[in-house]
Every structure is written in structure tokens, then in C-alpha cells.
Amino acid sequence: MICPPPQHEVCSNLSLLEAFAAGKELLEDRLEFWVSKTARVHLNSLLAKVGVGKKEPIVALSPGAASSGRNMWPSDRFAEVAQFLHQQYGLRSVLLGAPGEQLLAERVVKLASDAVVDLCGKTDLPTLAVLLERAI
């Protein structure tokens, strides 16, 4: 495993282990995240509740920044992007974020109407992974 300095803690630990593995790399340079069938079923259920079909193409948008409002793109811009993607390509945008970002997501929904659906604060990590896997 090759990690440029400064190394993440995981890379540092793997580098230490590789020293004992006769120079063999222990892991590839990519992460894997396995999700259960339950997470896939849960995502399909969440999307069905907001009117998104199993085969309907989606785009994931995350308009919030939980830690601060600095450098945050305005909600009307997210709405414009969502409307453009919907009108030009037939894509629905799925809004993602933490529960504390719900008000921001509601503003985007209000501005973009049927171009977006709001799953802000409604996904756990496995469901989010499945959603991002599905999004184009």
C-alpha cells in the first residue's frame, strides 16, 4: 500500500504490518464497503415512498455542511442544478444530509419541486452506500 505523506492512521498501521510481511502489500489502495440485501430493500422502500421507481435514474446531491455554513453553495443553486438535470436528462435528484440539514433540504425542495426528493436525515450508512452506488 502506498500512501503519500502525511499518511492516514490506517495507512501508517498497514505500512507497519507490511514491514513484517516480507515487503508484500497487504491491501489494495481502495476501500470496499459491503452492504446487505436489507439495505437495498430499505433504499427501494424509501425511494418508493417519495415516488421514485426502482429503475428510475437518480443523482445524489448533498446541499448541506453540518459543521459550518462557510463555503456552502446557496440552496437556490442546488435547486437550479436539480431542475436542469430533471428537464434536460429526466434525472431526479435525491437530497442527502444529516438530520440537522433538513431545513436546507426543504428550501431546495420548495424551489425545485418535482425535480428533487428529500432523504435528508433518513438514511443510515449502509442505505446511503446503496444510494450512492445506484446514483449516476
Side-chain angles (χ1 to χ4, degrees), residues 34-57:
W34 297 305
V35 293
S36 67
K37 184 177 180 178
T38 305
R40 295 182 191 287
V41 169
H42 183 60
L43 175 65
N44 287 335
S45 173
L46 283 174
L47 290 174
K49 286 178 186 175
V50 292
V52 177
K54 286 184 180 181
K55 303 274 185 192
E56 186 176 348

Side-chain angles (χ1 to χ4, degrees), residues 63-65 68-69 72-80 82-83 95 100-114 116-118 120:
S68 85
M72 223 167 67
W73 215 33
S75 55
D76 62 320
R77 301 269 176 90
F78 279 100
E80 286 179 38
Q83 288 174 324
L95 301 180
E101 298 166 349
Q102 187 63 43
L103 289 176
L104 179 60
E106 288 172 6
R107 283 194 293 256
V108 176
V109 169
K110 185 176 181 179
L111 294 167
S113 63
D114 62 341
V116 298
V117 294
D118 181 11
C120 192

